[in-house]
C-alpha cells in the first residue's frame, strides 16, 4: 500500500497480556498466548499490538510496578517467548509496541532495594529521599505521596502506590539506565513504546508545595504545578527520540498525565514524541455533540502542529465502551461508536475484547484486585471490570484458560465470544473487521480531511471524509428512532451498510442506530464485506 506508515495509518490493538490467552495453565495470559492468537489478530486486520507490562512484577499495580525492566515475568513466559512473539508478529506485518513505565519502579526493584539500605550506598539518590515531608504532594491513588521507610529512616516519594517509588530522573546515572532500557528492547526488535505518565519524570527541584484549589478528593484540591511537567522533560524526550530514530520507523506515544492541549503541544513533534493520547472519546457521553467537540479539538491542535490525531474508546484504566454506552446485551450503540472510531482522521486504538463488545465484569468486595478499588469501594470499584479474561469461545473459562482465571470471566461468555461472533455475519466482530478492511482500502478514511456537517437533526452525526479524488460521507444515527437527513448535493452510493444497497439523492431516512457510509460515485467499486 502506497505511503502506509504503520503507526499513523494502521489500527493499534492494546493487549493486557495477563487476560488474553493462557498457554501455560496458570490462570494468567502469557506471551505464547499472544503468539498463538496472531492469526486471529491478523484476520481482524490490526497493524500493531501495544502490550501492557509483562515484566517481572510483584503485582501491587498489576504490572505497572516493575521489578526488572529487562526481563519477562516467569508467569508470562521468557525472553525467548518474547523473541518468538516479535518474530512471528513481524512475519505477519504486525508491529510491537511496549509499555514503558519509567517514572517509577516497584519497591522490589534491585535499585530501590539498594537505595533504601542507607544513605551512603551507590544508589542512595536513585529515588527521592527526604528527612521530613517537604510539601503537600498527594498520591493520585489516595493519601500522602511521601512514605516513611523504616530501613533507611527517611521519606520517599511516590505518585502512585507506596509500592511504586518514583525514580530520581535528575541523577544522570538513572537517566542513562532508563535510556538503556529503551535500547535493550529496541535491540530485541520492538517497533515502539507507549510511555506511561512520562510527564511526571521530573518534579520541582525545590520541592515546592502545590497551590490549592477547590476539589472533591485531596488530590483534586491542588493545582499540580510542581509534582510534574518540569522543563527538563523536553530534553529527555529529545534524547529518547534520537535513540528511536536510529531504528527504522520506531515510534513513541505518550500517556500524558492530566493531559491538556498545552502539554500535548509541548511534548510532541519531530524531535520529541510521535503521538500523544487524547482521552476525550473515553470520557465523552453518548452524544454526537460531545464527540464532535473532541474531533474539533484534535483537528485544531493538528492544524497548529504536524501532529496526527489518535482516538481511543477504551483501555485498561476505564470502563469499556459497551459498559458505558450499551444497553444490556444489545450492540446497536456499540456499533455506532465503533464506526465513529474507525472512520476518524486519526489512528484508532482498540482494546482487546472491544471488537466483540465485551462488557465489564462486576465484582464483590472480596474479589477486587485493583488497589484503588479496594481503597475506595463502593464509591469506586477500581479497574478490574475492564480487565477480565478474553472471551474466545463457550467452553470452560471462555476458552481463556483451563485453570481458574485470575479475574472472573464475564457470565455472558456463553453467547458473547469470538467463535460465536465469527459465525454471525451481523456480529460486532464482523462489523469491526469490515470497517478495518474498508479503512485499509481507502486512504480517504485514514488521512482525508474531515468535515463535520453540523446541519443535522439531533442525535444524528454526519461528516465528510475528503481526499483529492474521493468523498466519503459517514452518517451515524445515535438514536433509537428513525431520522431523516438532507444529503449534500448529488447522488450518493452505499459504500458500507448492514441494512441497504443502492444510490441516494436529496434525503435519506436512517433506521434506528443505523451506520451508513456513502460515497460520491467516481470509479470506485462498492465495498463487498467478506465473511
Ligand atoms: C498509568 C497506567 O495506565 C495505570 O494503569 C497505572 O496504574 C499508572 N500509570 C501507574 O503506572
Amino acid at each position: 500500500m502506497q505511503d502506509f506508515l504503520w503507526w499513523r495509518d494502521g489500527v493499534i490493538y492494546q493487549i493486557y497480556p495477563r487476560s488474553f490467552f493462557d498457554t501455560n495453565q496458570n490462570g494468567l495470559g502469557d506471551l505464547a498466548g499472544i503468539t498463538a492468537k496472531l492469526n486471529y489478530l491478523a484476520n481482524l486486520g490490526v497493524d500493531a499490538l501495544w502490550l501492557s507490562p509483562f515484566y517481572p512484577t510483584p503485582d501491587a499495580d498489576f504490572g505497572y510496578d516493575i521489578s526488572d525492566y529487562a526481563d519477562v515475568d516467569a508467569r508470562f513466559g521468557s525472553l525467548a517467548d518474547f523473541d518468538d512473539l516479535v518474530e512471528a508478529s513481524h512475519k505477519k506485518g504486525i508491529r510491537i509496541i511496549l509499555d514503558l513505565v519509567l517514572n517509577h519502579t516497584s519497591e522490589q526493584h534491585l535499585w530501590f532495594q539498594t537505595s533504601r539500605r542507607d544513605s551512603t550506598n551507590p544508589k542512595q539518590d536513585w529515588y527521592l529521599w527526604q528527612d521530613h515531608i517537604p510539601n503537600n504532594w498527594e498520591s493520585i491513588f489516595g493519601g500522602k505521596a511521601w512514605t516513611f521507610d523504616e530501613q533507611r529512616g527517611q521519606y520517599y516519594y511516590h505518585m502512585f502506590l507506596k509500592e511504586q517509588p518514583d525514580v530520581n530522573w535528575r541523577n544522570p546515572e538513572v537517566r542513562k539506565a532508563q535510556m538503556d532500557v529503551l535500547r535493550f528492547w529496541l535491540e530485541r526488535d520492538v517497533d515502539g513504546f507507549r510511555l506511561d505518565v512520562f510527564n511526571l519524570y521530573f518534579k520541582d527541584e525545590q520541592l515546592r508545595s502545590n497551590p490549592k484549589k477547590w476539589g472533591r478528593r485531596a488530590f483534586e484540591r491542588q493545582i499540580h504545578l510542581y509534582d510534574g511537567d518540569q522543563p527538563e522533560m523536553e530534553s529527555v524526550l529529545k534524547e529518547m527520540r534520537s535513540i528511536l530514530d536510529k531504528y527504522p520507523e520506531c515510534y513513541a506515544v505518550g500517556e500524558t498525565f492530566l493531559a491538556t492541549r498545552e502539554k500535548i503541544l509541548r511534548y510532541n513533534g519531530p524531535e520529541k514524541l510521535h503521538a500523544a493520547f487524547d482521552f476525550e472519546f473515553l470520557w465523552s457521553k453518548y452524544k454526537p455533540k460531545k464527540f464532535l467537540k473532541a474531533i474539533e479539538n484534535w483537528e485544531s491542535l493538528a492544524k497548529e502542529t504536524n501532529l496526527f490525531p489518535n482516538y481511543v474508546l477504551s483501555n485498561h484504566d476505564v470502563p469499556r465502551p459497551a459498559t458505558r454506552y450499551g444497553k444490556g446485551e444489545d450492540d446497536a450503540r456499540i456499533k455506532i461508536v465503533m464506526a465513529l472510531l474507525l472512520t476518524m482522521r486519526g489512528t484508532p486504538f482498540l482494546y482487546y475484547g472491544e471488537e466483540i463488545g465485551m462488557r465489564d465484569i462486576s465484582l464483590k468486595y472480596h474479589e477486587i484486585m485493583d488497589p484503588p478499588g479496594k481503597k475506595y469501594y463502593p464509591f469506586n470499584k477500581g479497574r478490574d471490570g475492564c480487565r477480565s479474561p478474553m472471551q474466545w469461545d463457550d467452553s470452560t473459562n471462555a476458552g481463556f484458560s483451563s485453570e481458574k482465571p485470575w479475574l472472573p470471566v464475564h457470565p455472558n461468555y456463553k453467547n458473547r465470544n469470538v467463535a460465536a461472533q465469527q459465525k454471525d455475519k451481523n456480529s460486532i466482530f464482523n462489523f469491526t473487521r469490515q470497517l478495518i478492511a474498508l479503512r485499509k482500502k481507502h486512504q480517504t478514511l485514514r488521512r482525508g480531511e474531515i468535515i463535520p456537517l453540523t446541519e443535522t437533526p439531533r442525535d444524528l452525526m454526519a461528516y465528510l471524509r475528503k481526499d483529492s479524488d474521493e468523498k466519503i460521507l459517514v452518517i451515524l444515527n445515535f438514536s433509537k428512532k428513525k431520522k431523516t437527513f438532507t444529503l449534500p448535493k448529488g447522488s450518493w452510493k452505499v459504500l458500507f451498510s448492514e441494512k441497504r444497497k443502492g444510490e441516494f439523492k436529496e434525503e435519506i431516512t436512517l433506521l434506528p442506530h443505523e451506520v451508513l457510509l456513502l460515497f460520491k460515485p467516481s470509479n470506485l467499486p462498492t465495498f463487498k464485506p467478506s465473511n
Side-chain angles (χ1 to χ4, degrees):
M1 225 177 311
Q2 226 188 8
D3 197 20
F4 187 93
L5 182 56
W6 70 270
W7 58 261
R8 179 192 56 198
D9 297 271
V11 174
I12 302 180
Y13 185 94
Q14 180 190 355
I15 292 183
Y16 198 66
R18 71 183 64 213
S19 295
F20 200 59
F21 186 52
D22 180 13
T23 60
N24 59 1
Q25 283 82 44
N26 60 0
L28 292 168
D30 43 55
L31 295 181
I34 303 173
T35 311
K37 295 294 183 185
L38 282 174
N39 279 343
Y40 167 76
L41 295 162
N43 174 261
L44 178 61
V46 302
D47 300 278
L49 307 178
W50 148 24
L51 309 180
S52 279
F54 51 75
Y55 320 98
T57 171
D59 270 353
D61 189 15
F62 295 94
Y64 285 86
D65 50 319
I66 297 170
S67 53
D68 184 351
Y69 286 117
D71 205 352
V72 173
D73 191 300
R75 295 168 302 162
F76 306 134
S78 62
L79 280 171
D81 291 333
F82 178 79
D83 293 339
D84 287 348
L85 169 59
V86 174
E87 202 189 325
S89 308
H90 284 170
K91 277 201 184 124
K92 295 196 180 299
I94 297 178
R95 310 289 184 133
I96 299 288
I97 300 171
L98 298 196
D99 209 322
L100 280 192
V101 190
L102 306 181
N103 174 67
H104 44 270
T105 65
S106 157
E107 54 152 3
Q108 299 293 319
H109 197 294
L110 193 60
W111 297 348
F112 189 72
Q113 292 296 317
T114 312
S115 191
R116 81 180 345 170
R117 253 183 3 225
D118 49 45
S119 49
T120 52
N121 71 74
K123 298 214 167 5
Q124 59 85 15
D125 61 348
W126 278 45
Y127 293 82
L128 301 160
W129 294 102
Q130 291 290 313
D131 289 335
H132 305 282
I133 295 182
N135 54 32
N136 65 355
W137 296 355
E138 292 278 330
S139 152
I140 182 133
F141 283 162
K144 288 270 163 264
W146 296 93
T147 290
F148 187 73
D149 186 58
E150 294 289 345
Q151 200 178 342
R152 171 137 166 180
Q154 278 185 313
Y155 291 87
Y156 65 91
Y157 173 78
H158 52 92
M159 167 55 91
F160 297 92
L161 300 172
K162 65 175 175 26
E163 292 83 1
Q164 294 167 292
D166 284 38
V167 299
N168 178 13
W169 268 88
R170 288 179 196 283
N171 179 334
E173 288 175 25
V174 171
R175 183 168 170 153
K176 172 161 184 314
Q178 298 295 48
M179 296 298 169
D180 284 346
V181 174
L182 258 80
R183 290 191 188 92
F184 176 84
W185 292 107
L186 285 166
E187 285 299 314
R188 292 197 105 90
D189 265 359
V190 304
D191 302 283
F193 302 105
R194 175 257 187 197
L195 299 178
D196 190 79
V197 297
F198 72 90
N199 56 321
L200 294 183
Y201 293 176
F202 291 90
K203 313 16 163 160
D204 179 45
E205 205 160 11
Q206 298 167 51
L207 303 176
R208 281 171 282 187
S209 280
N210 282 324
K212 296 197 176 100
K213 71 171 179 70
W214 185 88
R216 217 168 32 98
R217 297 172 46 222
F219 187 82
E220 289 154 12
R221 287 197 291 272
Q222 298 187 0
I223 302 172
H224 293 277
L225 198 59
Y226 295 123
D227 48 357
D229 292 301
Q230 299 302 300
E232 292 83 347
M233 194 56 226
E234 287 177 63
S235 82
V236 163
L237 292 181
K238 284 187 183 158
E239 189 177 344
M240 285 182 165
R241 181 62 181 258
S242 71
I243 296 174
L244 283 170
D245 283 348
K246 294 203 173 80
Y247 299 81
E249 288 193 3
C250 275
Y251 152 91
V253 55
E255 183 207 26
T256 321
F257 189 75
L258 305 180
T260 59
R261 187 187 176 83
E262 185 274 324
K263 290 185 202 176
I264 291 181
L265 289 175
R266 193 182 335 155
Y267 297 130
N268 293 273
E271 293 182 340
K272 302 177 199 167
L273 298 177
H274 298 78
F277 279 123
D278 173 74
F279 293 137
E280 275 194 75
F281 266 30
L282 279 183
W283 305 118
S284 176
K285 294 212 170 100
Y286 182 75
K287 295 223 174 300
K289 267 204 182 130
K290 302 279 178 195
F291 286 111
L292 270 177
K293 188 147 186 306
I295 297 167
E296 275 158 21
N297 282 344
W298 245 130
E299 284 299 311
S300 76
L301 242 177
K303 270 199 190 96
E304 275 177 63
T305 62
N306 269 336
L307 273 186
F308 193 69
N310 61 65
Y311 291 92
V312 185
L313 280 170
S314 179
N315 67 28
H316 63 291
D317 288 331
V318 294
R320 289 178 175 275
T323 303
R324 302 199 306 267
Y325 306 130
K327 294 252 158 91
E329 287 295 319
D330 184 8
D331 284 339
R333 283 170 157 226
I334 318 311
K335 287 185 176 173
I336 293 283
V337 290
M338 182 62 88
L340 177 68
L341 179 75
L342 294 173
T343 56
M344 281 295 102
R345 194 188 86 90
T347 316
F349 279 77
L350 279 176
Y351 178 55
Y352 84 96
E354 201 175 332
E355 72 278 22
I356 56 164
M358 271 173 61
R359 270 67 175 161
D360 282 33
I361 49 168
S362 129
L363 297 174
K364 302 205 176 68
Y365 179 70
H366 73 269
E367 292 174 313
I368 290 182
M369 301 285 234
D370 188 29
K374 283 188 180 152
K375 189 160 182 161
Y376 296 113
Y377 186 91
F379 308 105
N380 176 342
K381 295 182 179 169
R383 300 163 294 177
D384 299 319
C386 65
R387 298 174 178 179
S388 66
M390 178 74 176
Q391 296 165 209
W392 292 106
D393 56 40
D394 65 1
S395 66
T396 317
N397 302 326
F400 162 73
S401 171
S402 56
E403 291 304 305
K404 186 170 182 255
W406 75 288
L407 276 177
V409 172
H410 196 291
N412 68 6
Y413 81 91
K414 287 266 174 204
N415 299 316
R416 185 174 293 285
N417 60 62
V418 169
Q421 292 205 11
Q422 280 175 329
K423 284 187 223 134
D424 170 6
K425 74 176 182 14
N426 295 318
S427 67
I428 174 90
F429 171 81
N430 278 315
F431 179 90
T432 305
R433 199 168 72 89
Q434 286 163 23
L435 279 177
I436 293 178
L438 195 61
R439 187 176 175 87
K440 203 149 277 173
K441 189 161 166 198
H442 293 276
Q443 171 158 306
T444 315
L445 282 178
R446 302 192 304 273
R447 306 246 296 280
E449 206 182 327
I450 179 163
I451 308 168
L453 305 179
T454 44
E455 299 291 301
T456 56
R458 234 181 93 193
D459 290 334
L460 206 79
M461 188 168 176
Y463 41 92
L464 267 181
R465 302 295 318 276
K466 200 173 139 218
D467 228 348
S468 48
D469 49 22
E470 215 178 33
K471 260 189 200 160
I472 296 175
L473 175 60
V474 182
I475 319 173
L476 307 172
N477 182 3
F478 275 61
S479 100
K480 55 179 185 212
K481 296 199 182 116
K482 288 185 180 172
K483 296 272 163 176
T484 301
F485 174 72
T486 312
L487 288 165
K489 253 204 206 132
S491 165
W492 293 87
K493 207 166 176 182
V494 173
L495 177 67
F496 174 87
S497 166
E498 289 186 296
K499 325 244 176 190
R500 60 175 99 216
K501 290 188 183 130
E503 209 160 317
F504 299 88
K505 257 189 203 153
E506 283 156 27
E507 63 170 41
I508 189 165
T509 298
L510 277 98
L511 300 169
H513 294 122
E514 183 171 354
V515 169
L516 184 59
L517 270 70
L518 302 171
F519 73 98
K520 263 258 154 83
S522 51
N523 295 324
L524 269 180
T526 314
F527 175 73
K528 280 216 184 63
S530 58
N531 286 316

